[in-house]
Amino acid sequence: MTESLKNDYRLCEELGRGQFGIIHRCISLNSGESFACKSIDKRLLCDSTDRECIEKEPKILRVLGGNANIIQIHRLYEDENWLHMIIDLCDGPDLFEQISKRSGAFSESEAASIFTQLIKSVSCCHRFGVAHRDIKPDNILFDSTRKLKLADFGSAEWFGMNERRTMTGVVGTPYYVAPEVLSGREYDQKVDVWSAGVILYVLLAGVPPFYGETPVETFEAVLRGNLRFPTRIFKSVSPEAKDLLRKMLCKDASRRLSAEQVSRHPWVINGGQTMING
């Protein structure tokens, strides 16, 4: 462990483990406050692309610092073998766990309380010229006050604030990745809007909008982009919610809403409270 890290924080129990590192709860020896320590073993990085992603994440988090719905980085420690990031502690169940534990869908007001926070975080990213590119329930965390925190910017990319540029590269996760990413074409930050739209669909329906028995079949379903609202599942979902989903899960990215436009949609503004559901 980096010596200066040991002087400032006491590492506690393991919270999670990934391809390149591990996350522990840690306690500041100065304030007694609890944080999370994300430790990356640089010896496990396979190539320059992995190294670039690891180096990019703390830079992006510092640019996005101050947004209540984005994970905050507090300190950074690095030596020859390790990179340690001290970040917000999110000890509530992540969105994937919350979805998995439910036997059915979320109500519109429940979905809106989560989704409104998510789209705020996405809008902030885009205002600063950052595309997350891997928005999925596993990366949507919650702290002890139930505040949503968008996390894991390892796949994020700069697209610029003034002279906006397109991006390339197949990144993302089956079910949530946008069709233009899979097609191999250049794409823009609206890939995040698509992913957020898939999450909203899952919250309201309890199932993803595009899926298959294998990852390949799922990718094929995403590329077709045939959005449906089965009556059995959506009979109690409002027209306003379905209107928002159509405008987010629009295969033509040029016609897809921006994150800022999504945040101004009536369903979002009204917190999922509609004429139909009260």
Side-chain angles (χ1 to χ4, degrees), residues 3 43 48 63 92 96 147 178 191 203 235 240 242 256 268:
E3 193 63 34
R43 293 164 296 185
S48 59
V63 168
F96 179 81
K147 185 179 289 294
V191 296
L203 292 174
K235 61 184 178 182
E240 293 92 335
K242 287 185 275 193
R256 192 181 305 155
V268 176

Side-chain angles (χ1 to χ4, degrees), residues 179-274:
E180 60 267 31
V181 175
L182 296 176
S183 69
R185 304 193 308 267
E186 294 182 343
Y187 52 85
D188 63 18
Q189 70 275 14
K190 286 186 180 179
V191 296
D192 289 343
V193 174
W194 176 280
S195 300
V198 173
I199 288 173
L200 178 57
Y201 189 106
V202 171
L203 292 174
L204 293 173
V207 294
F210 314 107
Y211 59 90
E213 294 298 322
T214 66
V216 171
E217 289 181 4
T218 298
F219 289 148
E220 290 172 349
V222 171
L223 283 167
R224 287 193 297 271
N226 186 12
L227 180 64
R228 293 177 178 173
F229 300 114
T231 303
R232 178 178 57 84
I233 297 174
F234 278 88
K235 61 184 178 182
S236 61
V237 175
S238 69
E240 293 92 335
K242 287 185 275 193
D243 176 72
L244 176 57
L245 286 168
R246 287 189 191 96
K247 291 174 178 175
M248 295 182 72
L249 297 174
C250 177
K251 189 177 176 182
D252 182 353
S254 67
R255 294 171 51 232
R256 192 181 305 155
L257 294 184
S258 68
E260 192 61 38
Q261 288 171 325
V262 171
S263 68
R264 296 197 299 268
H265 189 277
W267 188 86
V268 176
I269 291 173
N270 294 326
Q273 299 297 320
T274 67

